[in-house]
Amino acid sequence: SQQGEEDPQALSIQEGENATMNCSYKTSINNLQWYRQNSGRGLVHLILIRSNEREKHSGRLRVTLDTSKKSSSLLITASRAADTASYFCAEMDSSYKLIFGSGTRLLVRP
Amino acid sequence: DAGVTQSPTHLIKTRGQQVTLRCSPISGHKSVSWYQQVLGQGPQFIFQYYEKEERGRGNFPDRFSARQFPNYSSELNVNALLLGDSALYLCASSLGQGGDEQFFGPGTRLTVL
């Protein structure tokens, strides 16, 4: 399978704590994108990081990219109950299709 | 601005039937991609269309086909449905063919009985 792997598969934290999700990918990427999905509904685009970038911020989100290790991480700071969702990383390959990982299910307890 | 829209929201079919799913991209976006998401897994790429031409195809059988219209909307057709085709079908639009953000619609939930 071409799919990357995400770690952990599931994460349960208390509201206010930080959540870190890791992603490994397999191809030489054009970019890597992170998405959120609530209860099997549509995917919400969170952030895109290009292959020549190492870190990117958006609000409470911080994404890092290490192309030498073919890995990326998503940090959500000061988590809220509304952050409960599944999070996916997706590598965009040279043909511009997205290859998704298996996702991390995040539960933020109030 | 309206986001990506998909219809129908839910669909129930029986084995052997055919189904057509529809997608309207964000205004100004010229590329549409289709993905299949089976329960508990990440989405799998099916097709990409740009300027009405197929630009990419994933590892799906020929029972799956798609097209893009002059207004950049798109249809995904699946023939001879199998139980394993039950999934959430997601459409994504992007500005061009290149390395842009892809924005997803709410999906069509297909159940094959």
Side-chain angles (χ1 to χ4, degrees):
Chain A
S1 168
Q2 275 189 295
Q3 276 193 314
E5 296 295 324
E6 293 188 56
D7 170 58
Q9 290 186 334
L11 182 60
S12 179
I13 59 173
Q14 202 72 35
E15 202 166 28
E17 293 180 336
N18 295 341
T20 300
M21 289 159 263
N22 302 297
C23 162
S24 61
Y25 59 90
K26 298 185 179 181
T27 67
S28 296
I29 60 169
N30 179 289
N31 62 60
L32 189 137
Q33 304 186 31
W34 284 88
Y35 290 86
R36 185 185 74 227
Q37 186 176 41
N38 291 84
S39 303
R41 299 171 68 183
L43 294 159
V44 174
H45 187 271
L46 295 177
I47 201 163
L48 178 154
I49 186 165
R50 301 199 182 278
S51 59
N52 61 351
E53 296 176 310
R54 292 297 167 258
E55 188 171 309
K56 206 161 182 181
H57 296 254
S58 177
R60 293 184 296 112
L61 306 180
R62 181 173 79 101
V63 167
T64 62
L65 180 67
D66 186 336
T67 53
S68 66
K69 295 180 180 178
K70 292 193 173 180
S71 67
S72 175
S73 67
L74 170 67
L75 168 68
I76 304 174
T77 60
S79 63
R80 306 166 181 168
D83 294 329
T84 294
S86 291
Y87 291 82
F88 293 91
C89 70
E91 56 191 276
M92 178 169 279
D93 68 7
S94 56
S95 62
Y96 304 119
K97 69 174 183 284
L98 288 175
I99 303 170
F100 282 83
S102 49
T104 293
R105 294 186 308 280
L106 174 66
L107 171 65
V108 182
R109 305 186 305 275
Chain B
D1 280 344
V4 178
T5 59
Q6 292 186 244
S7 64
T9 306
H10 294 88
L11 204 50
I12 299 175
K13 293 285 188 179
T14 56
R15 282 176 295 176
Q17 285 189 311
Q18 175 264 341
V19 68
T20 298
L21 311 180
R22 296 176 176 82
C23 170
S24 291
I26 293 170
S27 177
H29 284 195
K30 297 183 178 180
S31 179
V32 169
S33 298
W34 287 94
Y35 294 81
Q36 180 197 64
Q37 186 179 22
V38 174
L39 196 63
Q41 297 181 18
Q44 296 272 334
F45 172 78
I46 309 175
F47 286 110
Q48 185 193 47
Y49 277 77
Y50 176 70
E51 290 284 11
K52 303 178 286 295
E53 290 189 9
E54 181 184 306
R55 299 301 179 103
R57 171 187 275 262
N59 189 23
F60 281 80
D62 291 343
R63 299 184 296 107
F64 289 75
S65 63
R67 53 180 175 168
Q68 186 177 33
F69 299 98
N71 66 354
Y72 302 108
S73 67
S74 177
E75 286 182 352
L76 174 70
N77 295 285
V78 186
N79 295 322
L81 285 167
L82 304 174
L83 295 179
D85 295 330
S86 294
L88 181 68
Y89 288 85
L90 296 160
C91 171
S93 80
S94 57
L95 199 57
Q97 188 196 1
D100 303 313
E101 292 93 337
Q102 291 194 11
F103 296 94
F104 283 78
T108 293
R109 173 75 62 188
L110 172 65
T111 302
V112 182
L113 302 176

